[in-house]
Amino acid sequence: MFDLPVVEKSDRKAATDFRNFLLDQGFSMAQFSVYYRMVSGKDRGRALEQKIQNNLPEYGRVQILSITDKQYENIKSFEGKSRKNREKQPQLHLF
């Protein structure tokens, strides 16, 4: 999850570059500033966190939330009035 400044043109470019970095790393967008990716274990999650840390924009806030596959399995997702079923997934990292 992140909150990046977008007032100046250089800020907007940095925010776009960071979003593109996340997409290049295999993340999917849940909301405009919330991205997620499944990883197969804590070691892979830590390696991914290090990559993110190495690519942080100069300004703004980036937060990493890790949840287990069991916690992810219990997420209820709604789109309109319908409920989407979720398959059991490996560990999830939200950015």
Side-chain angles (χ1 to χ4, degrees):
M1 299 175 282
F2 54 88
D3 186 17
L4 303 178
V6 292
V7 175
E8 302 294 328
K9 185 175 182 177
S10 60
D11 293 336
R12 288 190 298 276
K13 181 178 180 348
T16 297
D17 289 347
F18 186 67
R19 284 187 191 90
N20 288 335
F21 163 76
L22 293 175
L23 293 171
D24 290 344
Q25 295 299 309
F27 285 84
S28 298
M29 183 174 70
Q31 294 182 357
F32 194 61
S33 61
V34 178
Y35 286 68
Y36 67 94
R37 178 175 169 193
M38 307 327 167
V39 295
S40 60
K42 289 182 181 181
D43 289 339
R44 294 195 86 170
R46 281 192 283 274
L48 195 53
E49 288 174 21
Q50 187 61 50
K51 278 187 179 183
I52 291 167
Q53 188 174 3
N54 293 338
N55 287 277
L56 290 173
E58 186 172 357
Y59 301 104
R61 174 179 284 182
V62 176
Q63 298 175 302
I64 298 172
L65 171 68
S66 299
I67 63 175
T68 65
D69 58 338
K70 193 67 171 169
Q71 291 166 324
Y72 183 71
E73 180 181 300
N74 290 322
I75 293 174
K76 304 293 186 251
S77 181
F78 300 93
E79 196 168 308
K81 295 238 180 221
S82 64
R83 181 183 303 219
K84 291 188 151 208
N85 294 327
R86 291 189 178 262
E87 297 176 16
K88 191 171 182 178
Q89 299 289 341
Q91 185 180 1
L92 170 73
H93 285 269
L94 293 173
F95 299 92

